[in-house]
Amino acid sequence: LAAGVAHEINNPLAYVTTNIAYCVERLRYVDELLDGRSARVGSIESLRSILRPMSQALAEAHDGTTRVATIVRDLRALTREDNDQISPVFVPAALDSAIHMSESEYRYRARLVRDFGDARSVSGNETRIVQVFLNLIVNAAQAFESEDVDDNLISIRAWTEDSHTIIEVEDNGVGIPEANRDRIFLPFFTTKPVGVGTGLGLSICHGLVDSMKGTLSVTSELGRGSCFRVTLPTCDQDAPHSARRVPSTSPAGRARLLIVDDEPLILRSVSLLLRDQHDVEIAANGREALERIRDDGPFDLVVCDLMMPIMTGMELHAAVRAFDPEAARRFVFLTGGAFTEAARRFLGTIDNPTLDKPVQPNLLRSVVSGVLRS
């Protein structure tokens, strides 16, 4: 496991580090061009020729960090640290979200067809359901030995039957040997070589579906493909069909925000994401933040790290709630992992939004806007 995870992280980390170093180096040259200190001062086109590969390098670096975040998310799922919020989830919307996120995996390997029929809402955790669908689609995309897009087919079907909604993800790939069919849901079991897979995906999917009182099963024939079936309890109350859509990020007027984190680079990065739309101030720990809120408040919103030395985000939230319950409602928490029992209990008792690090920029902006509007 250690060898596999290390290899999985080191591969993207290698080109993330190299690409960022390349961009830093090229930016020095751009600075010289703009200042006119270089003997090679050229036209706007020469500047574009420098910036284009930098843009590509940064896009690849972003993809690499997303890969690392996915590995960490899968490992963290084994701790069952997530808040078990159960609500109506509209299955077609969740499938559309997973299909969109996995497009880069399947689009050059296979055709994808979908038939969501009369699929309704199910009772479950939306994030977990999308994660299950995403893993199954990625697995299907990796089930083909050839890259013949015309012959390779991924079929996704969903329908409601009595009190359950059924989702099937089927491929016509290589299939699963009979000897492995009873083992594929075991943690860390994988037929892939070291560095290609950790053996966590299907095990986590099985655990997530089971936690939502559903079932996950597979049928497969060697050389003809595999079909994974998810069955989840149908919800009496339908979820809105707009589930998973990102809300508007333009609340009326600028808001005054306080960002709290003990990591200076995270403070800087979150501030950069939000300062164009809002007036941003920072605090390096919970105690400093409490003083700012008491002496310089009120703040329209506090974006706060959950686990910090000196004073945790949980302790800060409790202290603020003691003298201003309304201000405590205007907290958004960032967490690199609620690994302690106290943190898990805390997240289970509050209604404040909680985002995992590394946070996606659009998601952070949309959550901030949503809290400000409410």
Side-chain angles (χ1 to χ4, degrees):
L1 171 65
V5 172
H7 198 290
E8 285 261 305
I9 289 177
N10 269 333
N11 272 342
L13 190 60
Y15 64 78
V16 167
T17 304
T18 302
N19 284 14
I20 291 176
Y22 166 80
C23 289
V24 170
E25 182 181 85
R26 300 302 285 172
L27 279 172
R28 292 196 189 102
Y29 179 60
V30 170
D31 190 49
E32 291 177 4
L33 271 179
L34 295 176
D35 284 349
R37 291 196 300 264
S38 172
R40 295 168 291 179
V41 175
S43 64
I44 293 296
E45 192 56 41
S46 68
L47 187 59
R48 284 178 179 154
S49 69
I50 299 170
L51 295 178
R52 284 193 193 105
M54 285 177 58
S55 176
Q56 178 66 27
L58 288 173
E60 291 169 357
H62 181 265
D63 288 344
T65 59
T66 302
R67 280 180 58 185
V68 174
T70 300
I71 296 166
V72 174
R73 180 203 65 197
D74 286 349
L75 287 170
R76 285 172 54 188
L78 294 177
T79 70
R80 294 290 180 268
E81 67 178 67
D82 290 338
N83 187 0
D84 293 330
Q85 273 195 331
I86 301 298
S87 60
V89 180
F90 187 54
V91 166
L95 283 168
D96 281 338
S97 179
I99 290 169
H100 174 72
M101 285 191 284
S102 60
E103 184 177 2
S104 62
E105 292 288 337
Y106 70 76
R107 66 180 299 181
Y108 299 114
R109 300 181 184 180
R111 292 182 295 118
L112 187 145
V113 297
R114 67 189 89 185
D115 179 8
F116 299 158
D118 62 348
R120 293 172 52 196
S121 297
V122 297
S123 180
N125 180 288
E126 184 180 8
T127 301
R128 291 182 172 188
I129 287 173
V130 173
Q131 182 181 346
V132 169
F133 295 161
L134 178 62
N135 274 329
L136 294 181
I137 295 169
V138 170
N139 275 2
Q142 295 174 347
F144 304 105
E145 289 184 333
S146 74
E147 296 185 358
D148 191 333
V149 176
D150 292 331
D151 290 339
N152 298 341
L153 181 65
I154 299 172
S155 301
I156 303 177
R157 299 178 292 273
W159 69 95
T160 295
E161 197 173 279
D162 297 328
S163 60
H164 287 80
T165 292
I166 300 161
I167 304 96
E168 290 185 341
V169 179
E170 183 176 14
D171 65 76
N172 62 346
V174 296
I176 303 169
E178 186 174 357
N180 291 338
R181 285 175 207 160
D182 293 334
R183 306 170 65 196
I184 59 174
F185 296 118
L186 296 176
F188 312 125
F189 173 78
T190 179
T191 58
K192 299 173 183 177
V194 169
V196 179
T198 59
L200 290 170
L202 286 176
S203 169
I204 288 169
C205 286
H206 192 277
L208 295 181
V209 172
D210 185 66
S211 73
M212 293 181 282
K213 296 180 170 51
T215 60
L216 173 60
S217 59
V218 62
T219 56
S220 184
E221 186 176 344
L222 205 59
R224 298 180 66 88
S226 305
C227 179
F228 286 84
R229 172 180 279 210
V230 178
T231 302
L232 291 167
T234 301
C235 186
D236 294 333
Q237 175 188 357
D238 278 338
H241 289 18
S242 59
R244 300 293 295 181
R245 290 179 186 170
V246 177
S248 168
T249 59
S250 54
R254 295 176 68 87
R256 187 180 180 217
L257 310 186
L258 179 64
I259 316 298
V260 189
D261 203 296
D262 62 302
E263 173 55 62
L265 292 180
I266 293 179
L267 272 181
R268 178 175 171 80
S269 64
V270 173
S271 299
L272 284 172
L273 287 176
L274 298 173
R275 70 183 186 185
D276 285 344
Q277 295 85 29
H278 306 291
D279 299 320
V280 175
E281 300 176 38
I282 63 173
N285 57 65
R287 188 175 297 165
E288 179 185 339
L290 183 58
E291 293 173 358
R292 297 288 302 279
I293 293 169
R294 279 177 172 159
D295 300 339
D296 302 332
F299 290 91
D300 297 304
L301 186 79
V302 178
V303 180
C304 183
D305 186 20
L306 188 67
M307 305 300 293
M308 296 179 288
I310 303 178
M311 175 182 272
T312 68
M314 299 178 287
E315 293 167 336
L316 172 62
H317 183 265
V320 171
R321 186 171 55 191
F323 67 84
D324 191 346
E326 181 59 32
R329 293 181 56 199
R330 298 194 299 272
F331 270 60
V332 173
F333 288 102
L334 305 182
T335 174
F339 295 115
T340 68
E341 185 59 34
R344 287 193 286 268
R345 282 199 307 269
F346 173 78
L347 293 179
T349 59
I350 62 169
D351 295 327
N352 303 73
T354 303
L355 301 177
D356 287 336
K357 298 176 182 178
V359 65
Q360 296 296 316
N362 286 340
L363 179 59
L364 176 62
R365 293 190 186 107
S366 67
V367 168
V368 166
S369 296
V371 174
L372 289 172
R373 283 198 302 271
S374 66

